[in-house]
Amino acid sequence: MANIQPSECGVFVQIWVDTNALQNGSTTGVYLVDSNHNNGSSAEGTVNLNTNVSTNTKVCWQVLNTNKNWDGELSIQNFSNSAVFGAGGTPTQVDQSTWTGQAQANGAATYGITFNAQPAGGTGISTTVNPVLTVSNK
Amino acid sequence: MMMINENLKVMKEESTANSLNPLTAIEIAVDTSYVASQNGNNISQGIYMMDNQEANGSSGEGTLELHTCCNVGSLIGFKCVPINALGTTGDTVEITGFTISQGSVFSAAGQPVKQSNGSYWIGQALNTGTQTYQIQIKVTVGILHPVSYFVNWDPFITAQ
């Protein structure tokens, strides 16, 4: 499947990271929000974000630092498989901080996003969050 | 000659402000379609504030009621962004102003100043203590017939 461009997406998820609070094995300092509260998304601002979309919606994920002047690199490493991505919707990389995918199958399921925070000249920390994607015909 | 000097002075002040790197950073992520759907009514969802001071005691992260804890003297950056910034809707958000509801952490000299792009302001926590401040943003949706909505709410800052 060709990469989905962010401009094709109907729903956007931002993963905000406070790299001052980040610790190995913890999700403290990680906040997920999306652009779809009007369509039933819930738990925005937490790692338990439940994004509600209609079937076949293209979704864009972006990882960002709460400090825009942070001297380091934030990157999404990978997404886990999840039933709601269906046969061909599993997210793929657009660039270091941006991935896109498609919610091809109805249902509600968690999916894993692993990202890496690499301070300039320091040791990176990898963190995995497991939010929910709820897909239905709307 | 006087006029040339005045112009140089203005340019120098701007370039200094652009190179500031606040140790305290506050992000405001805006669900623009939700804000638009509320038609200017008070909202309690759809705008999410986060900072880089959770390890310093900040609370209310991911909500409208962020309580930022910072060190006295710290510069504080306020940045707002539409959650659908990478999309094609053309929605924009910018900060239009700050007022102080209670307390005096900024004082007059630390009152936030708009940077070259209205989505980014910088203030300074000059006094210890806690203040309630009001932040107002302008959310604009649509490209051909853009409509703007003004929203304000009351987060907190404690300088220690």
Side-chain angles (χ1 to χ4, degrees):
Chain A
M1 185 182 73
N3 262 4
I4 299 165
Q5 290 307 302
S7 58
E8 300 172 57
C9 292
V11 171
F12 296 81
V13 176
Q14 291 179 334
I15 303 146
W16 289 98
V17 182
D18 173 358
T19 42
N20 291 330
L22 217 49
Q23 294 177 12
N24 275 315
S26 164
T27 57
T28 298
V30 183
Y31 316 101
L32 274 65
V33 298
D34 73 25
S35 61
N36 224 25
H37 189 68
N38 265 346
N39 290 308
S41 290
S42 59
E44 293 97 341
T46 77
V47 290
N48 301 313
L49 173 70
N50 186 334
T51 297
N52 277 33
V53 302
S54 54
T55 317
N56 288 325
T57 297
K58 292 172 180 171
V59 182
C60 177
W61 290 265
Q62 191 182 17
V63 64
L64 297 149
N65 199 305
T66 57
N67 180 3
K68 78 182 193 81
N69 295 316
W70 184 63
D71 186 17
E73 285 188 356
L74 272 177
S75 55
I76 295 176
Q77 301 295 298
N78 63 59
F79 276 71
S80 70
N81 286 328
S82 183
V84 287
F85 294 129
T90 298
T92 56
Q93 184 179 38
V94 175
D95 61 35
Q96 173 177 286
S97 60
T98 310
W99 287 52
T100 53
Q102 188 174 27
Q104 294 185 345
N106 287 358
T110 59
Y111 60 101
I113 310 168
T114 301
F115 61 88
N116 189 56
Q118 179 74 49
T123 307
I125 295 179
S126 279
T127 304
T128 300
V129 291
N130 295 287
V132 180
L133 192 54
T134 300
V135 186
S136 60
N137 298 315
K138 285 182 178 174
Chain B
M1 289 302 287
M2 280 285 285
M3 284 182 67
I4 291 170
N5 284 339
E6 288 294 316
N7 288 340
L8 284 173
K9 186 183 172 207
V10 169
M11 287 182 67
K12 184 166 184 289
E13 283 176 357
E14 281 180 354
S15 67
T16 301
N18 286 337
S19 64
L20 294 175
N21 184 1
L23 288 179
T24 302
I26 296 175
E27 263 303 332
I28 304 161
V30 182
D31 182 342
T32 49
S33 63
Y34 178 76
V35 171
S37 72
Q38 300 307 298
N39 284 314
N41 292 324
N42 283 340
I43 62 172
S44 59
Q45 296 281 332
I47 298 177
Y48 313 101
M49 297 183 78
M50 286 100 12
D51 67 21
N52 67 341
Q53 299 290 313
E54 197 276 340
N56 199 24
S58 290
S59 58
E61 304 276 357
T63 75
L64 276 172
E65 299 288 305
L66 176 68
H67 190 146
T68 296
C69 292
C70 67
N71 296 329
V72 68
S74 176
L75 291 170
I76 305 172
F78 297 88
K79 176 89 173 68
C80 65
V81 62
I83 297 172
N84 62 359
L86 297 180
T88 54
T89 57
D91 298 350
T92 60
V93 294
E94 60 181 302
I95 297 169
T96 45
F98 292 80
T99 55
I100 305 304
S101 310
Q102 192 175 4
S104 180
V105 169
F106 291 151
S107 76
Q111 185 73 12
V113 177
K114 179 180 169 179
Q115 303 302 297
S116 54
N117 180 328
S119 67
Y120 189 52
W121 290 53
I122 297 176
Q124 189 171 16
L126 288 174
N127 295 326
T128 56
T130 296
Q131 78 177 11
T132 309
Y133 64 103
Q134 190 171 77
I135 184 167
Q136 185 187 60
I137 64 169
K138 176 181 166 187
V139 178
T140 304
V141 297
I143 298 170
L144 192 55
H145 297 288
V147 180
S148 293
Y149 302 89
F150 289 86
V151 185
N152 58 66
W153 68 97
D154 300 285
F156 313 93
I157 291 178
T158 295
Q160 51 213 0

